[in-house]
């Protein structure tokens, strides 16, 4: 006889139990018939039947024990399979952590090389600056016009929401703070998703999409098993994965995920929830990056309506949505609407956040760019000067004869360019070196844009003054960033040395904590 499988044994025991049950019923009927008779032979037969029925009951009990044992073994096998899956997931996490350690070591080496290269570049720039005093100074306008660009670029701020960067040739990972802001807008990340959410943001901001994408997909699978597809947490993970795909320029996949997330949030949270507005905004930005401005505009307008209804018409988030809508309309040439949206956003920022908030300067810069594209040079010039004047007053106090903003310095140089220019060094103008120390990307952008405007007006000396100031400001900001990076690298090296002696002892505990974290991260509420 061949060995029987567990399923065959259980099936046989079930069949035998059914037969024994039928036999017990039959013997019970015979026993009742014999008990009604009073002859010695009937009593002997009744005694024998009673013993047989007891043996049948014993066989039925053994069959039930076998069936119960088989059920228990199946439960043990299922638990064993579950443990295997958890061990597999833990091994994957450990592999990712090893890759992360190797990548961090490579980045440290690359950063050290980059610091050395930047120091060499700084020495070269200092040398070129010292040699600039020997440069020839052309005396005629025609000689200067040879090297001037015919059309100077105008830079729009709010680049994270700008829909006109779809032609970028390289993938630029979204910074962690911006990525988190886009994901969390209007909807708080649940506690059970927070750890995974932070991991995905970290990997995506580093461009490590081969790790971020599987993490999101695994989270989606676990969430759909525990909570179902139509759950707000599933929509949150869909939104996160869509932004990761958007950073990879996989716009079609990102659009499908955002549409799915939008449908879930509308169904579960309501059509006027801030999370719905956030998803609509992300979808509008995605369409804008693909050049689909007409499809993006109604989505952005609906997000604006929701935020106005929920937050009020004067909330800063409403102003942010107005900026996004203005950028979409500007790419369609709807300049009247663009001006109206920017002016309203500017009023909200100034009323709610004050005139010194960075968003005020950014919005003025964008509105001025809109004026430039329509040929309204005077209106644009007024806004650029307001931004520079306010930044100068905030840093160096009230403006007087000795404390001038950089645009006034530039215009004075333009007026004096024909009067013994070589005897009027930069240092005589009080605002020159001060303006170069205003460390603000918005101010630097405004300097470049006002310089481009001066070039269009033929004020080349004033344009060069602003552009040189912007270059100096950028260079000083770069020096500060490099020093901060060096300090951070040195600090990380010291902290890693202190942690080195404890790393081997903590390794096993670290792996166990990750196992527990993955085990309970996606448990249903």
């Amino acid at each position: 006889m061949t060995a029987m499988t567990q399923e065959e044994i259980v099936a046989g025991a079930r069949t035998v139990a059914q037969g024994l049950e039928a036999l017990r019923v039959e013997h019970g009927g015979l026993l009742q018939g014999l008990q009604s008779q009073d002859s010695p032979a009937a009593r002997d037969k009744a005694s024998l039947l009673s013993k047989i029925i007891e043996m049948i009951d014993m066989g039925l009990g053994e069959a039930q024990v076998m069936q119960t044992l088989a059920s228990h073994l199946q439960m043990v096998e299922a638990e064993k399979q579950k443990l295997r899956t958890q061990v597999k997931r833990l091994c994957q996490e450990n592999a990712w952590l090893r890759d992360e350690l190797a990548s961090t070591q490579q980045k440290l080496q690359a950063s050290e090389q980059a610091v050395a290269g930047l120091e060499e570049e700084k020495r070269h720039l200092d040398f070129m600056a010292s040699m600039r005093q020997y440069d020839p100074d052309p005396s005629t306008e025609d000689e200067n016009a040879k090297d001037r660009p015919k059309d100077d670029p105008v830079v729009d701020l709010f680049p994270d929401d700008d829909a006109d960067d779809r032609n970028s040739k390289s993938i630029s990972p979204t910074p962690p703070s911006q990525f988190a802001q886009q994901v969390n807008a209007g909807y708080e990340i649940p506690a059970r998703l927070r750890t995974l959410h932070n991991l995905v943001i970290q990997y995506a901001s580093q461009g490590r999409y081969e790790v971020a994408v599987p993490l999101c997909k695994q989270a989606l699978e676990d969430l759909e098993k525990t909570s179902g597809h139509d759950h707000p947490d599933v929509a949150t993970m869909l939104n996160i994965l869509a932004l990761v795909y958007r950073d990879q320029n996989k716009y079609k996949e990102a659009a499908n995920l955002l549409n799915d997330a939008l449908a879930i949030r509308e169904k579960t949270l309501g059509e006027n929830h801030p999370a719905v507005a956030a998803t609509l905004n992300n979808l509008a930005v995605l369409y804008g990056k693909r050049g689909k401005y007409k499809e993006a505009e109604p989505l952005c307008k609906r997000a604006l309506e929701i935020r106005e209804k929920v937050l009020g018409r004067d909330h800063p988030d409403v102003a942010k949505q107005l900026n996004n809508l203005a950028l979409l309309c500007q790419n369609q040439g709807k300049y009247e609407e663009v001006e109206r949206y920017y002016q309203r956003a500017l009023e909200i920022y100034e009323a709610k956040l004050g005139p010194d908030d960075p968003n005020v300067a950014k919005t003025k810069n964008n509105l001025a760019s809109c004026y430039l594209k329509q040929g309204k040079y005077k209106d644009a010039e007024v806004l650029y000067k307001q931004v520079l004047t306010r930044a100068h007053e905030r840093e160096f106090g009230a403006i007087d004869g000795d404390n001038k903003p950089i645009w006034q310095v530039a215009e004075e140089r333009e007026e004096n360019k024909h009067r013994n220019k070589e005897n009027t060094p930069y240092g005589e103008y009080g605002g020159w070196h001060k303006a170069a120390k205003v460390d603000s990307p918005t101010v630097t952008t405004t300097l470049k844009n006002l310089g481009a405007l001066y070039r269009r007006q033929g004020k080349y000396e004033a344009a060069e003054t602003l552009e040189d100031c912007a270059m100096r400001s950028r260079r000083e900001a770069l020096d500060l960033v490099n020093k901060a990076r060096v300090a951070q690298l040195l600090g990380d090296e010291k902290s890693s040395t202190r942690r080195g002696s404890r790393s081997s002892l903590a390794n096993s505990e670290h792996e166990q904590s990750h196992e527990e974290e993955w085990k309970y991260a996606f448990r249903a509420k």
Side-chain angles (χ1 to χ4, degrees):
M1 295 180 63
T2 59
M4 298 176 64
T5 63
Q6 179 179 339
E7 290 78 7
E8 292 174 346
I9 294 174
V10 173
R14 191 177 295 112
T15 303
V16 170
Q18 294 175 355
L20 290 174
E21 184 65 29
L23 189 60
R24 188 171 68 85
V25 172
E26 182 181 354
H27 280 64
L30 293 175
L31 180 60
Q32 291 179 356
L34 290 174
Q35 288 176 348
S36 61
Q37 300 177 13
D38 196 21
S39 64
R43 285 195 296 272
D44 293 340
K45 291 179 180 181
S47 175
L48 181 61
L49 282 174
S50 297
K51 294 180 180 179
I52 294 174
I53 290 174
E54 290 177 359
M55 295 176 66
I56 291 175
D57 290 337
M58 185 182 299
L60 285 172
E62 291 176 354
Q64 290 176 357
V65 169
M66 292 179 64
Q67 293 179 10
T68 304
L69 181 60
S71 177
H72 177 71
L73 289 176
Q74 289 178 353
M75 292 176 59
V76 170
E77 185 64 26
E79 185 67 22
K80 183 178 178 182
Q81 188 64 28
K82 182 179 178 181
L83 291 175
R84 285 195 188 122
T85 303
Q86 292 177 355
V87 170
K88 182 179 178 181
R89 184 179 296 173
L90 179 60
C91 292
Q92 291 177 348
E93 176 67 11
N94 289 338
W96 287 332
L97 290 173
R98 284 194 294 269
D99 293 341
E100 178 70 14
L101 177 61
S103 175
T104 303
Q105 292 175 343
Q106 293 176 357
K107 288 180 180 179
L108 176 60
Q109 295 176 356
S111 299
E112 292 174 348
Q113 295 175 357
V115 169
L118 289 172
E119 291 177 351
E120 183 65 27
E121 182 181 356
K122 181 178 180 298
R123 286 194 292 268
H124 176 70
L125 290 174
D126 292 341
F127 174 75
M128 295 299 294
S130 65
M131 296 298 293
R132 186 169 182 172
Q133 57 182 324
Y134 302 107
D135 290 346
D137 189 11
S139 59
T140 63
E141 200 75 31
D142 294 336
E143 291 177 349
N144 286 335
K146 293 180 181 179
D147 298 327
R148 290 174 186 137
K150 296 181 180 179
D151 188 14
D152 300 300
V154 178
V155 182
D156 284 338
L157 296 173
F158 296 101
D160 55 316
D161 297 318
D162 190 356
D164 198 29
D165 61 352
R166 64 192 182 282
N167 295 324
S168 60
K169 296 181 180 180
S170 61
I171 298 176
S172 179
T174 304
S177 59
Q178 178 185 326
F179 198 106
Q181 183 180 6
Q182 293 173 359
V183 172
N184 297 347
Y187 186 73
E188 184 179 357
I189 296 296
R192 61 172 174 166
L193 297 183
R194 206 161 292 150
T195 300
L196 179 68
H197 163 259
N198 295 336
L199 277 175
V200 172
I201 288 180
Q202 179 182 357
Y203 288 133
S205 63
Q206 296 172 356
R208 299 196 60 197
Y209 305 112
E210 73 281 359
V211 179
V213 172
L215 281 175
C216 287
K217 289 184 176 179
Q218 182 64 50
L220 277 173
E221 182 180 349
D222 291 344
L223 281 172
E224 289 179 346
K225 288 181 179 178
T226 58
S227 304
H229 181 71
D230 294 334
H231 192 277
D233 294 351
V234 174
T236 300
M237 287 308 307
L238 289 170
N239 199 43
I240 295 173
L241 182 56
L243 295 179
V244 174
Y245 279 146
R246 190 190 71 182
D247 274 4
Q248 296 178 274
N249 289 345
K250 296 180 179 179
Y251 297 130
K252 184 177 180 180
E253 294 88 340
N256 293 335
L257 293 174
L258 286 175
N259 280 313
D260 195 6
L262 178 62
I264 295 174
R265 284 180 167 176
E266 287 178 336
K267 180 179 179 181
T268 57
L269 302 176
E271 295 185 353
N272 294 324
H273 195 275
V276 174
T279 310
L280 287 168
N281 180 71
N282 288 341
L283 193 57
V285 171
L286 181 66
Y287 283 154
K289 287 178 176 291
R290 301 173 67 183
K292 297 182 177 181
Y293 306 118
K294 292 183 179 180
E295 293 86 343
E297 184 179 350
L299 298 174
C300 202
K301 286 183 176 179
R302 186 184 163 200
L304 176 63
E305 293 175 358
I306 294 174
R307 285 180 172 169
E308 286 178 339
K309 184 179 298 184
V310 175
L311 304 175
R313 292 179 57 84
D314 296 332
H315 195 276
D317 286 350
V318 173
K320 183 71 172 178
Q321 195 69 53
L322 287 167
N323 270 301
N324 293 354
L325 184 56
L327 286 169
L328 290 174
C329 292
Q330 184 167 296
N331 282 285
Q332 301 177 69
K334 300 179 180 180
Y335 294 115
E336 293 184 1
E337 297 182 27
V338 174
E339 291 182 18
R340 185 170 69 252
Y341 293 142
Y342 277 143
Q343 288 171 354
R344 186 182 161 201
L346 186 58
E347 292 174 357
I348 295 174
Y349 281 138
E350 288 179 334
K352 295 297 181 179
L353 303 180
D356 292 330
D357 186 79
N359 289 302
V360 173
K362 291 180 181 181
T363 306
K364 285 185 176 181
N365 209 302
N366 280 358
L367 180 57
S369 300
C370 176
Y371 285 149
L372 279 183
K373 293 176 182 179
Q374 300 177 78
K376 299 179 180 180
Y377 295 151
K378 289 297 182 182
D379 295 334
E381 185 176 349
V382 170
L383 289 175
Y384 287 142
K385 288 180 179 179
Q386 288 178 1
V387 173
L388 295 177
T389 301
R390 189 67 184 177
H392 193 91
E393 290 177 343
R394 188 169 59 250
E395 291 288 335
F396 310 111
I399 295 175
D400 53 30
D402 297 328
N403 186 23
K404 303 174 183 177
I406 185 60
W407 63 264
Q408 189 173 345
V409 174
E411 291 188 349
E412 288 180 2
R413 283 183 54 79
E414 182 68 31
E415 295 175 359
N416 298 332
K417 66 180 179 181
H418 298 299
R419 293 186 302 149
N420 197 16
K421 176 182 172 183
E422 64 275 5
N423 293 327
T424 310
Y426 298 150
E428 290 187 6
Y429 297 95
W432 173 267
H433 293 293
K434 288 183 177 181
K437 294 180 181 179
V438 178
D439 182 16
S440 169
T442 305
V443 172
T444 303
T445 301
T446 307
L447 289 170
K448 294 179 181 178
N449 288 348
L450 184 56
L453 174 59
Y454 280 151
R455 285 191 180 278
R456 294 183 183 184
Q457 296 175 338
K459 300 178 181 179
Y460 299 113
E461 188 64 31
E464 290 179 359
T465 301
L466 295 180
E467 291 166 356
D468 199 358
C469 182
M471 185 180 300
R472 293 187 180 200
S473 178
R474 177 177 174 81
R475 191 182 305 160
E476 292 188 4
L478 183 62
D479 290 342
L480 292 175
V481 171
N482 291 336
K483 291 179 181 179
R485 287 179 178 174
V486 172
Q488 182 180 4
L489 290 174
L490 293 176
D492 292 342
E493 182 178 355
K494 291 180 180 179
S495 61
S496 63
T497 302
R498 290 194 299 267
R499 292 194 303 266
S501 61
R502 299 194 300 266
S503 62
S504 59
L505 295 176
N507 187 38
S508 59
E509 296 180 3
H510 175 70
E511 293 180 355
Q512 183 178 1
S513 64
H514 273 282
E515 178 185 2
E516 293 298 322
E517 177 179 281
W518 277 99
K519 183 175 180 180
Y520 298 105
F522 308 111
R523 179 174 293 174
K525 289 183 178 180

